[in-house]
Amino acid sequence: MSIVESIVKLLLQKLADPILQEAILLYGVGDEVEWLEAEFKRMQCFLEDADAKQEGDKRVKCWVGDVRDVAYDAEDVIDTFLFKVANLRRTGIKRYGCIFNELKPRHEVGSKIELIKAKIRAISESRSTYGIENIGQGAGTSSSGLSLQEWRLTSPLSQETDFVGFEKELEMLVARLTEGELRRCVVSVVGMGGLGKTTLTKKLYNTDIVKNHFDTHAWISVSQEYSARDLLQVFVRRWMVVSNNTAEKLNIAELRDKISEYLNDKRYLVVLDDIWRREAWNALKDAFPDVNNGSRVVLTTRNKDVALHADPDPRSRPHELRFLTNEESWDLFRKKTFLERDGDCPQDLEKLGREIVEKCHGLPLAIAVIGGLLSGKEPREWDNVRKSISWQFVEGEVQISSILSLSYKDLPYYLKPCFLYLGNFPEDYEFQAKELIGLWAAEGFLKERGELTLEEVGEDYLMQLVKRSMVQLTRRNSSRGIKSCRIHDLLRDLSISEAKESKFHEVRGNNGNAPSASRARRLALHLNDRSKFISLSSSTPNLRSVLIYAQGYTWLEEEQMKFLFQGFKLLRVLYLADLEIRELPKQIGELIHLRYLRCTNTWLETLPSSIGNLINLQTLLLDSSNGIKVPDTIGKMHQLRHLRLLVDKPQTVMTSGWIQGLPFGVIQGHPRLDLMSNLQTLSGVYAGKWMEGCLGKLTNLRNLKILFETEADAELFSEAIVNLNCLHHLWARMSVPIRFFEDRALVLSLPNLSHLLKLSKLHLGGKLETLPEFPTNLTKLSLEWSRLKEDPMATLEKLKSLRILRLLGDSYDGVEMACSAQGFPQLESLRLQALCKLKEWRVEEGAMPSLLHLWIGDCKQLKKLPEGLQHVTTLKKLELWWMRDEFNARVREDGGEDWYKIRHIPSIDIRQMFTIKQSDFNFYHYERHFSHNRDCTDLHMLSD
């Protein structure tokens, strides 16, 4: 099914909307709207057949384009009509005469529908004119896919393209990094898109031999549109060279100098992934000093000239990536196509499968995408795919657009707009699953089915795209669901190309130009130069979405703000990332179609009361360094599903004695939140009067993040939580660490939590008299300031589903702790932080049999590592931060008494803090010291 049919389906959903039905009855335009609905239903039947024929027939393609345009016209008429009706209600103009004298909505909508009727009649007649009367007589060929419930149960989450065929190349590259010249060499991996440059380099970067060889590492994705200053700031933050505030004030030359100074006495490895031009290398190279200690820089690029320019020495020849052999290709294809069968291909499909694989010419991305396409299909569909694959050769370079396009065309109708939407994100962007699903819902791509919510349907859609290798999974959450993803740049190019052709969306780069007067429904602006002026054009008033990504922070002037909120009355999505906004204009209340509003990294302090007019808003994400005051008019937003006043960011590690300032939002007054029955997320809010009599009635809440200032607030919360049976994630904390106020420690009193059967992630901050009873399916637990007197491990190790455990500052006041045999059967990540009285930790053999990552920090009384740690053979990474010198001496490889307990662990990171000056850290390096590595192959799928 084509994207045009998806557009028509979305229009038909709009025409059936109860809000529209109420308006058309009130203003007497029901007959006109019913006529539109009937005509578009008839068109839909023809579109099913046209999808299969338009590729080979320009006449059909032109006819389909006409249908798309008239569908957009109809949507504009309906949305404009609803906007004017809502305006009348909002301004209080209700008298019948005034309605017609002021706006005459019935006359206007009737006249415009008559124009659309004329266009539809012309389109119907054009089928005969074009000689395509037989459209609609054949059966559609689109795939419908499995049911949602089947996908939920049978679709395993796959990682990025399997590593196949490059074992010898990996061995050779390891040698080039760890052996040979002492000068700083540049090792380049060169090849066309889709060959697996990034996959091979990630494998190289995370190889134990490589990690053991270098003192420090960093991985940066450069991409086509880059900002040298922003990239250098990433390095600065990565290595904590200076504080963030200081880094913001430095120019490019000063940033380079700071990084160079930091690296000057270290053997380092830096990866610059996806670098396109010489200028990018020239802007960064001076940050990487050559001090003859064997440091290395790795580049991945499609341009061999860039590689030769970066290191012209003949001994540093670029490594040009080859295509896979036939057998390697077949091996990869089997792994992607028969995932549920562990790569075992039925004999009756092998011959056909090999023929298909041969047409991929050894290109890993093409093989993976075709494998995802064929997974679960019948043999006759395999043969159709074999006949459809064709290759193009342009100036000697193989193009895979036809293979990727084939996979796009095979998507069921409901996935096509979801896939096209991915082109809005910047290149190499790692998008959060909940962020993407919220946007899909706002655009109307998702529809509740059976007992599944919009969010659950969205999770299924995303899972299907991952299964088809159209999206790459990058991180899992603690419940093994999808946390974040990215899209390969070739598939992103396909998405942008298809979207532009269908006027679905346009993507504009950092050229500062106004968008053209196209009929694109969505506009994404990617700005990475803070000096560029953001300009939008009134020639595109019918935009439904504006997404602005301002890398490096960009001020939005007052006039630009007013224009943005006044010039596009039909907006459904307004996404403003990293725009430094000080206030939202009151005109925001006029955007009555708005479903999704996000403003991150702002300086907002208050919201205008007109925000309550956004009665259709589903998602409100606001993030301010000041904390935001929300007016009580928010209680009128009955469609709101997600309210976040502190957008999630990566957590920073803190030593004991530091107070974390959290800019949570304040809900003013006593709004009727109990009427917001759709609310699923309430995150980043202070407790207050708004809780009284209403929090316990928000029975659809799934995610709650709340901060308490008084014990009375905590008690109110304890009463309400008894009714919140749908909670999946709960974060509840007192606002001030009890360490600083010993005489008035705030108690977080909680009832039994075992009735919260859906609760999977829990964070509690505050004094606990005893541990509450937890639900058995809890997968992530964090405790801080709990001041527990009894060893919590005896209770927690019985939680059989627990995968992540964080015992943070002052969560346990005891001196001994023990993990018994068979305890924590599923635990994968354990953090012990600032347990200031802990002296001894015992681990019996057989405890924590699944542990991958152990972090111990600022436990100043802990004398040594437990004996049983040597039996935890699954451990991949150990981090020891800010421990006493005596403790660190015991884990030295050269004679440390505890070395035998940890020598089996591939990655060990030991950091000693000597001084704190403007957040400058000096790291004490041992021979087996490795810096924290976000891209660790074994751990990158595990979310903290």
Side-chain angles (χ1 to χ4, degrees):
M1 185 180 293
S2 70
I3 186 62
V4 177
E5 190 170 353
S6 299
I7 292 168
V8 171
K9 275 186 173 290
L10 291 174
L11 174 61
L12 289 171
Q13 289 178 21
K14 184 186 292 288
L15 293 174
D17 188 280
I19 296 176
L20 175 62
Q21 295 300 317
E22 178 187 351
I24 62 179
L25 287 174
L26 181 62
Y27 294 102
V29 291
D31 292 342
E32 290 91 336
V33 174
E34 285 179 13
W35 188 92
L36 280 182
E37 186 175 11
E39 283 300 310
F40 279 110
K41 283 181 178 178
R42 277 190 283 272
M43 281 186 179
Q44 195 173 16
C45 299
F46 292 108
L47 283 169
E48 291 177 6
D49 196 34
D51 182 33
K53 297 178 179 179
Q54 64 172 318
E55 289 304 312
D57 193 328
K58 292 184 178 179
R59 298 170 301 168
V60 177
K61 190 171 186 178
C62 182
W63 183 84
V64 170
D66 290 341
V67 174
R68 175 200 60 222
D69 289 344
V70 77
Y72 282 159
D73 286 340
E75 185 183 36
D76 290 343
V77 169
I78 296 301
D79 283 349
T80 302
F81 170 66
L82 287 173
F83 174 80
K84 291 182 176 180
V85 169
N87 247 0
L88 290 175
R89 291 177 174 176
R90 182 173 57 84
T91 55
I93 302 174
K94 297 180 181 179
R95 287 184 297 111
Y96 186 86
C98 288
I99 291 174
F100 280 88
N101 289 334
E102 295 292 329
L103 292 174
K104 301 178 179 145
R106 176 178 180 177
H107 174 73
E108 288 187 5
V109 74
S111 299
K112 290 179 179 178
I113 289 178
E114 283 301 321
L115 292 176
I116 293 174
K117 282 183 177 181
K119 289 183 180 181
I120 291 176
R121 293 187 185 103
I123 289 172
S124 299
E125 293 170 1
S126 68
R127 288 177 49 230
S128 176
T129 304
Y130 292 155
I132 53 175
E133 299 95 329
N134 59 337
I135 291 180
Q137 297 174 6
T141 59
S142 299
S143 165
S144 61
L146 296 175
S147 71
L148 289 176
Q149 294 286 7
E150 288 176 303
W151 276 104
R152 289 180 68 86
L153 297 174
T154 66
S155 179
L157 297 180
S158 59
Q159 296 187 19
E160 292 186 8
T161 304
D162 296 81
F163 189 75
V164 173
F166 294 124
E167 289 78 7
K168 290 183 179 179
E169 282 85 349
L170 180 64
E171 186 178 337
M172 182 183 66
L173 289 170
V174 167
R176 290 184 63 179
L177 294 188
T178 59
E179 302 172 9
E181 304 169 81
L182 289 177
R183 74 178 182 91
R184 184 213 66 193
C185 298
V186 178
V187 179
S188 298
V189 180
V190 179
M192 67 170 286
L195 262 179
K197 299 183 296 296
T198 300
T199 299
L200 172 61
T201 306
K202 278 188 177 180
K203 189 75 172 179
L204 174 69
Y205 183 78
N206 292 300
T207 301
D208 292 341
I209 298 174
V210 171
K211 289 195 293 184
N212 292 343
H213 185 73
F214 295 96
D215 297 323
T216 190
H217 318 70
W219 176 296
I220 301 292
S221 294
V222 181
S223 74
Q224 292 190 68
E225 291 193 11
Y226 69 93
S227 163
R229 190 172 186 275
D230 290 340
L231 293 175
L232 291 169
Q233 284 192 347
V234 172
F235 281 114
V236 165
R237 289 192 292 270
R238 168 68 181 81
W239 285 315
M240 292 182 280
V241 177
V242 296
S243 69
N244 285 334
N245 290 336
T246 302
E248 282 292 327
K249 300 173 184 176
L250 300 179
N251 59 36
I252 290 179
E254 291 168 332
L255 288 168
R256 281 194 295 245
D257 290 344
K258 288 290 184 183
I259 296 168
S260 179
E261 180 183 350
Y262 171 77
L263 295 176
N264 202 48
D265 61 348
K266 298 173 180 64
R267 184 162 62 193
Y268 61 84
L269 171 64
V270 170
V271 176
L272 301 176
D273 185 39
D274 196 23
I275 187 167
W276 285 72
R277 294 185 293 277
R278 294 182 177 189
E279 292 78 14
W281 168 250
N282 292 339
L284 300 173
K285 64 180 181 180
D286 290 342
F288 313 129
D290 186 357
V291 290
N292 285 315
N293 65 355
S295 293
R296 297 288 187 265
V297 176
V298 177
L299 305 183
T300 72
T301 181
R302 301 185 190 186
N303 190 342
K304 188 176 179 180
D305 287 341
V306 173
L308 294 172
H309 172 74
D311 195 336
D313 192 304
R315 293 169 294 180
S316 291
R317 64 196 182 283
H319 179 79
E320 298 186 53
L321 214 54
R322 63 178 176 82
F323 292 92
L324 298 179
T325 67
N326 287 341
E327 285 306 312
E328 290 167 346
S329 299
W330 176 242
D331 188 25
L332 176 59
F333 176 79
R334 288 189 298 105
K335 289 181 177 180
K336 301 302 293 186
T337 310
F338 303 105
L339 202 61
E340 294 85 356
R341 298 168 57 102
D342 295 324
D344 181 27
C345 173
Q347 288 186 352
D348 60 326
L349 287 178
E350 181 168 348
K351 182 176 183 297
L352 191 54
R354 286 185 178 274
E355 290 180 16
I356 292 172
V357 169
E358 284 179 13
K359 291 197 172 193
C360 294
H361 293 270
L363 193 69
L365 178 63
I367 296 166
V369 170
I370 286 293
L373 185 155
L374 292 173
S375 181
K377 287 191 178 294
E378 297 295 325
R380 61 180 178 81
E381 294 180 272
W382 281 47
D383 194 47
N384 290 336
V385 169
R386 178 185 63 81
K387 294 174 182 176
S388 301
I389 297 177
S390 62
W391 281 75
Q392 303 168 355
F393 292 84
V394 179
E395 297 180 358
E397 186 182 52
V398 179
Q399 303 294 305
I400 65 166
S401 58
S402 64
I403 288 181
L404 302 185
S405 181
L406 183 66
S407 295
Y408 166 69
K409 291 184 178 69
D410 183 70
L411 292 176
Y413 77 92
Y414 54 84
L415 287 184
K416 283 183 175 173
C418 296
F419 172 75
L420 293 187
Y421 208 80
L422 300 177
N424 285 311
F425 294 105
E427 190 175 357
D428 296 321
Y429 185 84
E430 184 173 325
F431 47 85
Q432 301 297 304
K434 60 186 177 184
E435 169 189 24
L436 177 64
I437 291 168
L439 288 165
W440 284 349
E443 294 282 1
F445 302 159
L446 309 178
K447 189 176 181 182
E448 292 181 353
R449 298 190 183 182
E451 297 181 358
L452 296 180
T453 64
L454 289 178
E455 290 73 17
E456 289 168 333
V457 172
E459 290 170 9
D460 283 318
Y461 285 9
L462 185 54
M463 194 177 292
Q464 291 185 45
L465 290 172
V466 169
K467 173 71 184 299
R468 289 170 175 266
S469 294
M470 303 294 278
V471 171
Q472 299 170 339
L473 172 63
T474 55
R475 288 181 180 270
R476 301 178 189 271
N477 57 34
S478 59
S479 301
R480 284 295 187 270
I482 302 176
K483 183 179 180 68
S484 62
C485 295
R486 66 191 307 170
I487 182 173
H488 191 281
D489 54 359
L490 288 179
L491 286 163
R492 178 176 176 269
D493 291 343
L494 172 68
S495 166
I496 292 173
S497 174
E498 292 283 349
K500 187 174 183 179
E501 182 176 349
S502 62
K503 302 178 183 178
F504 185 81
H505 70 67
E506 271 195 66
V507 177
R508 294 272 165 175
N510 193 47
N511 53 20
N513 296 331
S516 61
S518 73
R519 293 202 56 188
R521 313 302 273 183
R522 300 162 186 88
L523 175 66
L525 295 176
H526 300 164
L527 308 172
N528 57 21
D529 186 338
R530 68 194 70 206
S531 66
K532 293 292 184 182
F533 181 82
I534 299 175
S535 62
L536 295 170
S537 171
S538 58
S539 62
T540 54
N542 295 324
L543 281 174
R544 295 313 195 271
S545 300
V546 172
L547 300 97
I548 302 178
Y549 299 87
Q551 302 171 35
Y553 302 98
T554 301
W555 286 103
L556 206 59
E557 303 293 339
E558 183 177 353
E559 289 304 312
Q560 293 172 297
M561 284 288 293
K562 286 184 178 179
F563 180 72
L564 186 59
F565 288 97
Q566 288 180 310
F568 306 99
K569 302 296 188 184
L570 306 183
L571 278 183
R572 296 174 67 97
V573 170
L574 185 56
Y575 184 111
L576 307 176
D578 296 338
L579 288 174
E580 297 191 4
I581 301 169
R582 294 201 177 271
E583 65 176 347
L584 294 178
K586 65 180 181 180
Q587 288 85 357
I588 190 174
E590 298 177 10
L591 302 180
I592 59 98
H593 288 294
L594 205 63
R595 264 75 170 170
Y596 187 105
L597 175 62
R598 172 175 173 141
C599 302
T600 60
N601 291 318
T602 69
W603 293 88
L604 289 172
E605 294 184 357
T606 62
L607 293 179
S609 60
S610 62
I611 196 83
N613 295 332
L614 304 181
I615 57 173
N616 292 310
L617 198 69
Q618 298 174 356
T619 300
L620 178 59
L621 306 180
L622 301 172
D623 183 25
S624 172
S625 58
N626 299 318
I628 301 174
K629 295 178 181 178
V630 180
D632 57 9
T633 54
I634 196 172
K636 296 158 57 178
M637 301 162 67
H638 298 168
Q639 297 301 315
L640 198 64
R641 304 171 74 87
H642 306 286
L643 173 61
R644 288 195 180 94
L645 301 180
L646 182 70
V647 178
D648 295 338
K649 295 184 177 70
Q651 290 184 346
T652 54
V653 178
M654 298 170 295
T655 185
S656 60
W658 296 359
I659 301 178
Q660 182 183 22
L662 293 174
F664 274 45
V666 176
I667 298 178
Q668 298 178 306
H670 196 172
R672 292 295 307 275
L673 295 190
D674 55 311
L675 300 178
M676 301 170 68
S677 58
N678 293 301
L679 198 64
Q680 296 181 22
T681 302
L682 183 57
S683 180
V685 295
Y686 272 97
K689 291 183 179 179
W690 62 268
M691 296 193 330
E692 297 175 6
C694 93
L695 180 59
K697 296 179 181 178
L698 299 178
T699 54
N700 278 320
L701 267 185
R702 286 160 168 75
N703 302 284
L704 178 60
K705 189 169 188 176
I706 188 168
L707 201 60
F708 306 108
E709 291 188 290
T710 68
E711 289 182 352
D713 284 339
E715 291 172 3
L716 272 177
F717 170 75
S718 297
E719 295 171 7
I721 199 175
V722 175
N723 299 318
L724 304 183
N725 294 319
C726 287
L727 274 181
H728 288 67
H729 302 159
L730 171 61
W731 192 103
R733 202 187 82 170
M734 292 298 182
S735 61
V736 181
I738 59 176
R739 168 177 302 183
F740 301 93
F741 301 95
E742 298 283 356
D743 57 333
R744 53 187 182 91
L746 301 177
V747 178
L748 181 60
S749 57
L750 286 175
N752 187 330
L753 301 178
S754 60
H755 69 288
L756 301 177
L757 300 179
K758 297 181 179 180
L759 191 67
S760 64
K761 188 161 64 174
L762 176 63
H763 181 113
L764 299 177
K767 187 173 181 179
L768 298 174
E769 302 292 350
T770 59
L771 281 175
E773 189 173 341
F774 299 114
T776 56
N777 59 346
L778 202 65
T779 60
K780 180 177 180 179
L781 174 63
S782 300
L783 299 175
E784 59 178 330
W785 313 333
S786 310
R787 282 296 173 88
L788 295 168
K789 303 300 181 185
E790 297 183 6
D791 181 2
M793 294 301 196
T795 298
L796 301 181
E797 68 181 8
K798 298 174 184 177
L799 297 174
K800 298 187 181 300
S801 299
L802 198 65
R803 292 195 178 96
I804 299 174
L805 175 61
R806 303 283 181 264
L807 297 181
L808 307 176
D810 298 314
S811 56
Y812 175 45
D813 266 356
V815 297
E816 294 185 0
M817 193 165 66
C819 297
S820 61
Q822 284 77 52
F824 295 112
Q826 299 295 324
L827 194 68
E828 296 176 354
S829 180
L830 174 62
R831 178 189 293 266
L832 306 177
Q833 178 180 326
L835 305 182
C836 298
K837 297 181 182 180
L838 182 65
K839 294 182 178 180
E840 184 178 359
W841 178 30
R842 297 188 304 277
V843 174
E844 295 183 6
E845 184 174 354
M848 300 182 289
S850 304
L851 194 65
L852 296 172
H853 182 201
L854 173 60
W855 193 100
I856 305 174
D858 200 25
C859 296
K860 293 294 173 48
Q861 299 300 316
L862 188 62
K863 298 176 181 178
K864 60 182 180 179
L865 288 171
E867 188 79 19
L869 211 57
Q870 62 181 309
H871 303 299
V872 186
T873 57
T874 54
L875 260 177
K876 299 295 184 183
K877 187 163 190 173
L878 170 65
E879 296 186 80
L880 303 172
W881 286 36
W882 313 328
M883 303 296 284
R884 293 169 64 94
D885 290 342
E886 296 85 349
F887 181 96
N888 289 335
R890 294 181 65 93
V891 295
R892 294 179 66 113
E893 184 174 6
D894 52 345
E897 297 175 68
D898 287 349
W899 175 250
Y900 72 96
K901 303 175 184 177
I902 61 174
R903 61 187 175 189
H904 63 287
I905 303 173
S907 177
I908 301 173
D909 184 347
I910 303 171
R911 302 191 183 191
Q912 179 62 45
M913 181 172 22
F914 296 109
T915 59
I916 303 178
K917 295 179 181 178
Q918 293 184 341
S919 298
D920 288 341
F921 289 78
N922 297 316
F923 298 148
Y924 186 57
H925 301 284
Y926 296 121
E927 186 176 352
R928 286 183 60 85
H929 162 264
F930 319 115
S931 296
H932 174 60
N933 176 17
R934 286 187 62 211
D935 299 293
C936 180
T937 301
D938 298 307
L939 299 175
H940 83 284
M941 302 298 289
L942 177 66
S943 166
D944 284 343

